[in-house]
Amino acid sequence: MALNLDRSYFSVVCDLGNCLYTPERELEEMDLKKLMEDIRSGQLENIMAVFEFNPEEGWCNNITDTVLESVFPEPEQDIGQGAAWSDYGGEMIDGKRAGVPLLAAA
C-alpha cells in the first residue's frame, strides 16, 4: 500500500483519569467515518479533543465540537447551550484553514 500523506487524517485525545492519551490507530482507521463510529459505539470515551490534520500541507484543526455535535446531536445537559464540548473550544493549531468547512473532506 502506498502511503498518501496529502489527505485529511483524524486523531483523538482521550482522558484516562490521571493522564491524557492518544489511542493507537492504523492509518486506514484514521478517517472521519471510522472515528465517529468508534465514538458512537463507545470504543473511544472521555474525548478531550479531535484533530483533523494533513501532514503534506502542514495544517491541523481542532474539530472537537463539530464531531461531537455530529455524533451526539443533543448535547448532555451539563454542556449547556452555546458551550464548547472541548476544553480547547474552537481554537485552531494554525490558521491555514480558517473559513473552510471542517468536514468538507469527509
Side-chain angles (χ1 to χ4, degrees):
M1 173 175 109
L3 179 61
N4 178 11
L5 295 178
D6 193 14
R7 71 173 190 93
S8 289
Y9 290 92
F10 298 86
S11 184
V12 63
V13 177
C14 299
D15 184 1
L16 191 56
N18 58 353
C19 66
L20 298 177
Y21 75 102
T22 301
E24 290 184 28
R25 301 176 73 84
E26 297 292 332
L27 282 176
E28 54 272 359
E29 293 179 346
M30 294 182 76
D31 67 24
L32 185 59
K33 181 179 178 183
K34 176 67 174 154
L35 180 77
M36 291 176 70
E37 288 172 2
D38 288 349
I39 294 170
R40 189 174 292 117
S41 69
Q43 295 296 315
L44 297 170
E45 297 178 320
N46 302 323
I47 310 263
M48 298 302 295
V50 178
F51 295 106
E52 173 188 19
F53 61 96
N54 182 307
E56 182 73 24
E57 295 178 9
W59 54 260
C60 180
N61 293 325
N62 178 351
I63 60 168
T64 307
D65 292 339
T66 305
V67 170
L68 292 179
E69 287 171 2
S70 295
V71 172
F72 306 111
E74 297 181 28
E76 296 176 10
Q77 291 180 342
D78 62 339
I79 297 295
Q81 181 141 358
W85 282 91
S86 167
D87 289 340
Y88 297 101
E91 68 190 63
M92 293 183 357
I93 300 303
D94 74 25
K96 290 187 179 183
R97 302 246 315 178
V100 176
L102 296 176
L103 298 178

